[in-house]
């Protein structure tokens, strides 16, 4: 079932509890029942779903079956069972009608027909006598049968069958045997054999003797077409079409085919020595006028007939289930293709829908003006041409209910501050859609540039002020009733905030108190929230450094103890009331000892000196006054300050020479920065370097730092 439109239902419900009209799961199919079947019963299937569960009835040739008055009928769920079926009583067109409390729908038509094959008349057939060279037609005269049968002929005795060729032809339309030019070998007894395509039953006709007259031989004569397809051949798109053409004549005529004003389809095949033109999977463009020609040396004969290809109706656009408010217009359109072009009919609850003043039906379009409860039900559009019909079904629900508000909408309190916008929602559920009206106290709300009732029923007040305070009542009303909600609006003075101090400069280890004060409407409670660099301060985690102090109802303090460099940044205070929220920020700068200098590089080395360079350290808001160079060797007790050139390394320098080193000793070097606040952490140590042997200094010595793990010395010895 299509659930389109359920979102417009007045209440939120689970899909399992929704009532809906019948929808077919299975419709009955055409059945051919063999009369000699051992089954002795026919089952026509029908299944539908719906809520409530649908019931079933059956129609035969448009008349409802009385399932209780005939013991042969039984109903198993929706399936119709016919016991001991007979053609006289039961052949016809069947439809399943399924219904529940929301409506009824009618299934497609299913044809029940019976397959049988009677016996030939036992009357002796007269002999057929012809001259040699003459053409002859032997009549089959088949017995009663249903449906189609296949013809063949036995020559003299079974199983010697007549072989078809350019001279002999068996029509599958009439069953007759045609011999265009009789020869002496054709003399004998001929029996027509027919076979039912469904039951495979076979019966034989009485024999027809064929003899030759003794009054001479038939001379040559022009062709005479004895077998041809109808003047008008009709076939369904996709079927296989077979057109027959055969002629008598002496000499034996040759059959050829053509399509007038066109070409015979390439998929076409010629059967029985060109006596049958077969077109599989016929399409609309295969239609046209076809001609067969019979020719021999004495002349030519031809026949023309038209092939028309039809197409069963096929849906292009179906119907969708629709839910409408009472009083709304309905417009449904169904579209189908087919050849001939389909016409349309409409059913309501399985019965033809009649045009009225409110109901119009034009070219597959159904319009109902001002729907009401009587219009609710199951509708079907039938698209049909003379070759078949198809059904599309949909349910119309007409919603009719008094307005109702959700419980959480019935009473509201709205608190805002001056200048803000007030928006009071009013969305009652009801069908038809309720009209909305607003009152303030006992007076109707008057719309203005500042006050407007929005299309969805909500009330909007711009730039609110104290006179806008009060009780507002929204009323939803339709033909079935009304409902109201109440909203109380309070307009307060806007909250202001003062955060002090605004800009602070501190040294590591010091403390500070930030004060946040709210100036607010006395009737409102306030809450304070602190942030650092946009993130809420976690007072539990930062208990050793941060503390929130609330000494007064309208102010809050942030105590920051033993400040670290990481505590520098922008602090925010946000004040929240039930009416508004305001915030302010302060910047805190923290001065501290320098950071560690960057990586130390040994640029040149001798037996007693090393030239070093480094990247500047972060000054942490207090200028670096000096750098101290330290070294460590296997013979020292940890890191020791070394003598340098220059002796004092000022804060703006980035290189110096360590002197008085011992020859042929491995050293590591590091740099420490100092500012007025203190000495910072040392740099990362340099790579370990060995001084030269005494008297063997390098003229040009440098490191390649492309490979950090293995410095490569480039040396030139004196």
């Amino acid at each position: 079932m299509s659930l389109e439109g359920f979102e417009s239902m007045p209440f939120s419900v689970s899909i399992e509890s929704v009532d809906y009209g019948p929808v077919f799961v299975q419709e009955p199919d055409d059945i051919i029942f063999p009369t000699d079947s051992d089954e002795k019963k026919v089952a026509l299937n029908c299944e539908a779903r719906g809520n409530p569960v649908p019931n079933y009835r059956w129609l035969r040739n448009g008349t409802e079956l009385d399932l209780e008055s005939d013991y042969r009928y039984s109903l198993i769920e929706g399936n119709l069972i016919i016991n001991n079926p007979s053609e006289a009583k039961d052949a016809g067109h069947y439809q399943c009608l399924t219904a529940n409390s929301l409506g009824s729908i009618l299934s497609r038509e299913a044809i029940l027909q019976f397959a049988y094959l009677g016996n030939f008349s036992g009357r002796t057939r007269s002999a057929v006598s012809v001259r040699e060279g003459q053409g002859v037609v032997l009549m089959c005269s088949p017995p009663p049968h249903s449906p189609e049968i296949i013809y063949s002929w036995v020559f003299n005795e079974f199983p010697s069958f007549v072989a078809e060729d350019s001279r002999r032809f068996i029509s599958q339309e009439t069953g007759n045997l045609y011999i265009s030019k009789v020869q002496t070998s054709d003399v004998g007894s001929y029996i027509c054999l027919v076979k039912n395509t469904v039951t495979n039953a076979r019966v034989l006709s009485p024999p027809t003797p064929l003899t030759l007259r003794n009054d001479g031989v038939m001379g040559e004569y022009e062709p005479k077409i004895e077998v041809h397809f109808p003047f008008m051949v009709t076939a369904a798109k996709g079927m296989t079409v077979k057109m027959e053409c055969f002629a008598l004549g002496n000499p034996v005529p040759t059959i050829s085919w053509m399509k007038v004003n066109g070409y015979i389809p390439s998929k076409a095949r010629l059967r029985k020595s060109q006596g049958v033109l077969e077109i599989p999977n016929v399409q609309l463009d295969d239609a046209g006028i076809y001609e067969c020609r019979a020719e021999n040396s004495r002349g030519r004969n031809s026949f023309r007939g038209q092939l028309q290809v039809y197409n069963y109706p096929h849906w292009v656009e179906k119907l969708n289930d629709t839910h409408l408010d009472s009083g709304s217009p309905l417009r449904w359109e169904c579209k189908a293709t087919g050849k001939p072009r389909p016409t349309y009919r409409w059913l309501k609850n399985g019965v033809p829908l009649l045009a009225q003043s409110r109901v119009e039906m034009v070219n597959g379009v159904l319009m109902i003006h001002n729907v009401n409860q009587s219009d609710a039900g199951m509708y079907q559009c039938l698209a049909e041409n003379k070759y078949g019909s198809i059904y599309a079904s949909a349910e119309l629900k007409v919603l009719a209910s008094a307005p109702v508000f959700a419980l959480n909408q019935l009473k509201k309190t709205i608190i805002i501050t001056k200048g803000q916008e007030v928006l009071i929602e009013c969305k009652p559920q009801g069908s038809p859609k309720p009209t909305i009206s607003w009152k303030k106290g006992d007076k109707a709300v008057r719309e203005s540039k500042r006050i407007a009732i929005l299309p969805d029923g909500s009330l909007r007040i711009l730039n609110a002020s104290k006179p806008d305070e009060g009780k507002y009542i929204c009323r939803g009303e339709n033909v079935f009733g009304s409902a109201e909600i109440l909203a109380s609006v309070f307009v307060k003075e806007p909250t202001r905030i003062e955060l002090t101090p605004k800009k602070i400069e501190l040294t590591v280890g010091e403390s500070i108190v930030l004060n946040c004060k709210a100036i607010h409407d006395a009737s409102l409670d306030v809450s304070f929230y602190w942030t650092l660099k946009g993130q809420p301060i976690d007072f539990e985690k930062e208990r050793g450094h941060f503390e929130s102090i609330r000494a007064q109802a309208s102010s809050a303090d942030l105590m920051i103890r033993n400040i670290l460099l990481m505590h520098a940044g922008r602090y925010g205070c946000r004040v929240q009331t039930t009416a508004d929220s305001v915030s302010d920020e302060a910047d805190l700068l923290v001065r501290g000892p320098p950071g560690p200098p960057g990586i130390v590089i040994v640029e040149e080395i001798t037996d007693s000196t090393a030239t070093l360079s480094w990247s500047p350290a972060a000054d942490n808001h207090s200028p670096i006054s000096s750098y101290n160079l330290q070294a460590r060797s296997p013979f020292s007790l940890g890191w020791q300050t070394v003598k340098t050139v220059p002796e004092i390394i000022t804060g703006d320098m980035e290189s110096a020479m360590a002197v008085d080193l011992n020859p042929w000793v491995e050293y590591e070097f590091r740099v420490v920065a100092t500012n007025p606040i203190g000495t910072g952490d040392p740099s990362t140590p340099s790579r370990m370097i060995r001084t030269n042997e005494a008297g063997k200094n390098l003229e040009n010595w440098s490191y390649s730092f492309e490979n950090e793990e293995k410095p490569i010395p480039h040396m030139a010895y004196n």
Side-chain angles (χ1 to χ4, degrees):
M1 170 185 174
S2 170
L3 298 177
E4 185 171 319
F6 270 43
E7 63 275 5
S8 63
M9 294 190 66
F11 302 104
S12 174
V13 289
S14 65
I15 200 68
E16 291 81 2
S17 66
V18 173
D19 288 348
Y20 61 95
V23 180
F24 281 116
V25 175
Q26 183 180 23
E27 299 184 59
D29 292 317
D30 295 343
I31 294 177
I32 301 176
F33 181 77
T35 54
D36 59 355
S37 171
D38 295 332
E39 185 66 22
K40 300 305 179 188
K41 65 180 178 181
V42 169
L44 290 154
N45 297 323
C46 181
E47 182 185 353
R49 54 184 172 83
N51 192 17
V53 176
N55 54 49
Y56 302 88
R57 291 178 285 160
W58 281 87
L59 283 67
R60 176 174 174 263
N61 298 332
T63 302
E64 186 174 344
L65 294 174
D66 188 347
L67 302 181
E68 295 183 0
S69 65
D70 192 330
Y71 73 93
R72 298 181 311 112
Y73 296 135
S74 58
L75 198 62
I76 299 178
E77 294 181 339
N79 304 322
L80 174 65
I81 312 299
I82 307 174
N83 291 290
N84 300 315
S86 70
E87 184 179 25
K89 292 181 179 180
D90 302 314
H93 296 252
Y94 287 79
Q95 286 179 284
C96 173
L97 180 67
T98 180
N100 66 11
S101 59
L102 296 172
S104 311
I105 52 174
L106 204 56
S107 75
R108 65 176 293 274
E109 284 192 346
I111 301 173
L112 173 59
Q113 63 182 116
F114 289 77
Y116 59 88
L117 180 60
N119 288 313
F120 281 95
S121 166
R123 182 171 53 84
T124 302
R125 298 192 175 190
S126 303
V128 177
S129 185
V130 295
R131 291 193 184 100
E132 184 181 348
Q134 187 178 357
V136 70
V137 180
L138 301 182
M139 312 294 287
C140 179
S141 302
H145 61 273
S146 176
E148 296 81 12
I149 53 178
I150 298 172
Y151 300 92
S152 57
W153 283 80
V154 177
F155 181 48
N156 288 330
E157 61 181 26
F158 191 85
S160 176
F161 288 94
V162 173
E164 294 180 272
D165 52 26
S166 60
R167 195 173 61 85
R168 291 170 294 187
F169 183 84
I170 300 170
S171 170
Q172 293 302 320
E173 295 294 328
T174 64
N176 298 337
L177 170 61
Y178 299 84
I179 304 175
S180 63
K181 174 187 173 183
V182 175
Q183 300 174 353
T184 55
S185 60
D186 296 324
V187 172
S189 176
Y190 289 84
I191 298 170
C192 183
L193 184 149
V194 296
K195 175 185 174 182
N196 190 295
T197 55
V198 174
T199 65
N200 289 326
R202 302 183 183 193
V203 291
L204 297 167
S205 72
T208 301
L210 177 64
T211 63
L212 288 180
R213 291 167 55 174
N214 54 13
D215 57 351
V217 177
M218 184 75 173
E220 293 184 353
Y221 63 96
E222 66 183 13
K224 179 185 178 185
I225 293 178
E226 286 288 343
V227 181
H228 59 74
F229 53 96
F231 287 101
M232 184 65 70
V233 179
T234 57
K237 178 183 175 184
M239 287 180 54
T240 296
V241 175
K242 294 180 181 179
M243 293 184 278
E244 296 183 341
C245 185
F246 190 77
L248 308 183
N250 187 4
V252 175
T254 300
I255 304 297
S256 61
W257 294 84
M258 66 170 289
K259 184 180 180 185
V260 179
N261 298 326
Y263 296 96
I264 289 178
S266 59
K267 61 190 172 185
R269 299 185 287 261
L270 292 173
R271 306 289 192 194
K272 299 184 179 181
S273 297
Q274 301 195 353
V276 177
L277 176 65
E278 182 178 292
I279 307 175
N281 190 26
V282 69
Q283 299 297 308
L284 297 178
D285 56 4
D286 295 331
I289 298 173
Y290 287 78
E291 178 181 277
C292 80
R293 291 178 180 176
E295 295 182 84
N296 65 11
S297 58
R298 304 296 296 181
R300 185 173 72 181
N301 195 358
S302 64
F303 173 83
R304 287 185 176 185
Q306 185 167 6
L307 170 62
Q308 282 191 341
V309 181
Y310 62 85
N311 198 7
Y312 295 107
H314 177 77
W315 287 121
V316 175
E317 186 174 328
K318 291 187 180 182
L319 307 177
N320 289 318
D321 293 338
T322 301
H323 298 173
L324 291 177
D325 291 333
S326 179
S328 301
L330 169 71
R331 186 184 187 277
W332 261 331
E333 182 174 7
C334 56
K335 290 181 182 179
T337 59
K339 187 176 181 182
R341 180 180 296 173
T343 57
Y344 301 92
R345 290 191 291 132
W346 289 86
L347 303 178
K348 179 187 176 187
N349 294 327
V351 177
L353 183 63
L354 302 177
Q356 308 169 24
S357 58
R358 292 189 307 111
V359 180
E360 297 179 48
M361 292 169 282
V362 181
N363 296 329
V365 177
L366 169 65
M367 290 178 287
I368 303 179
H369 307 284
N370 301 317
V371 298
N372 57 45
Q373 285 287 53
S374 68
D375 297 314
M378 297 300 302
Y379 288 77
Q380 290 178 284
C381 176
L382 272 74
E384 54 192 346
N385 60 23
K386 65 180 181 179
Y387 299 107
S389 58
I390 51 176
Y391 291 70
S393 305
E395 180 182 359
L396 172 62
K397 277 189 177 177
V398 179
L399 308 175
S401 61
V404 63
F405 288 96
L407 290 175
N408 61 353
Q409 294 182 333
L410 294 179
K411 194 170 183 180
K412 294 181 178 179
T413 298
I414 298 173
I415 303 173
I416 58 149
T417 58
K418 287 181 181 179
Q420 286 188 320
E421 174 185 309
V422 179
L423 184 66
I424 313 174
E425 288 190 345
C426 181
K427 297 179 179 179
Q429 298 286 349
S431 298
K433 185 178 180 180
T435 57
I436 303 296
S437 61
W438 281 91
K439 291 194 300 183
K440 181 185 178 187
D442 57 358
K443 293 183 179 180
V445 171
R446 297 182 62 181
E447 293 191 76
S448 64
K449 290 182 179 179
R450 206 171 55 82
I451 301 173
I453 299 174
L454 303 180
D456 67 354
S458 301
L459 178 66
R460 184 181 67 194
I461 304 173
L462 302 176
N463 192 22
S465 60
K466 205 69 176 174
D468 294 318
E469 281 191 336
K471 295 186 183 298
Y472 290 81
I473 299 169
C474 175
R475 179 183 179 88
E477 186 171 10
N478 65 16
V479 293
F480 299 105
S482 62
E484 293 181 345
I485 57 169
L486 173 66
S488 299
V489 175
F490 298 91
V491 181
K492 305 294 185 179
E493 290 293 331
T495 304
R496 292 183 292 114
I497 186 173
E498 292 179 358
L499 177 59
T500 56
K502 282 286 190 180
K503 192 163 186 177
I504 317 102
E505 293 186 6
L506 297 175
T507 301
V508 168
E510 294 181 338
S511 299
I512 187 69
V513 174
L514 300 180
N515 176 254
C516 186
K517 183 178 180 181
I519 300 93
H520 62 94
D521 192 293
S523 65
L524 298 178
D525 292 329
V526 294
S527 299
F528 294 86
Y529 302 92
W530 290 96
T531 61
L532 170 57
K533 300 173 186 175
Q535 299 299 315
I537 294 175
D538 187 340
F539 288 97
E540 287 295 320
K541 186 177 178 181
E542 301 284 352
R543 186 178 298 174
H545 295 282
F546 293 100
E547 183 182 353
S548 178
I549 302 170
R550 185 83 179 268
Q552 298 176 353
S554 297
S555 70
D557 291 337
L558 175 64
M559 167 69 77
I560 312 174
R561 298 186 180 89
N562 191 21
I563 283 176
L564 303 177
L565 287 171
M566 61 185 291
H567 296 147
R570 180 161 291 185
Y571 286 77
C573 176
R574 180 169 62 88
V575 175
Q576 179 77 52
T577 73
T578 50
D580 59 357
S581 174
V582 290
S583 59
D584 198 2
E585 293 181 330
D587 288 316
L588 174 59
L589 184 144
V590 179
R591 293 187 297 268
I599 185 169
V600 178
I601 298 171
V602 181
E603 295 184 340
E604 187 176 340
I605 193 162
T606 69
D607 57 359
S608 62
T609 66
T611 302
L612 309 173
S613 65
W614 58 88
S615 301
D619 65 7
N620 290 328
H621 307 292
S622 182
I624 295 172
S625 54
S626 64
Y627 287 104
N628 181 26
L629 196 59
Q630 299 176 347
R632 180 173 64 180
S633 74
F635 308 107
S636 66
L637 296 174
W639 291 95
Q640 303 289 330
T641 299
V642 295
K643 291 183 180 180
T644 60
V645 175
E647 186 176 347
I648 296 174
I649 307 171
T650 59
D652 58 349
M653 297 178 67
E654 297 179 19
S655 66
M657 178 184 290
V659 298
D660 295 342
L661 303 178
N662 294 315
W664 204 243
V665 174
E666 290 182 333
Y667 285 96
E668 291 176 281
F669 299 96
R670 71 181 187 185
V671 180
V672 179
T674 300
N675 67 10
I677 296 172
T679 299
D681 293 331
S683 70
T684 302
S686 71
R687 289 294 176 185
M688 189 172 287
I689 293 300
R690 187 191 299 272
T691 54
N692 296 335
E693 288 184 59
K696 288 191 176 181
N697 289 326
L698 302 177
E699 292 179 351
N700 296 303
W701 190 99
S702 63
Y703 280 105
S704 170
F705 292 98
E706 292 177 3
N707 187 330
E708 183 182 333
E709 295 298 322
K710 296 180 179 180
I712 303 173
H714 302 280
M715 304 181 181
Y717 290 95
N718 291 333

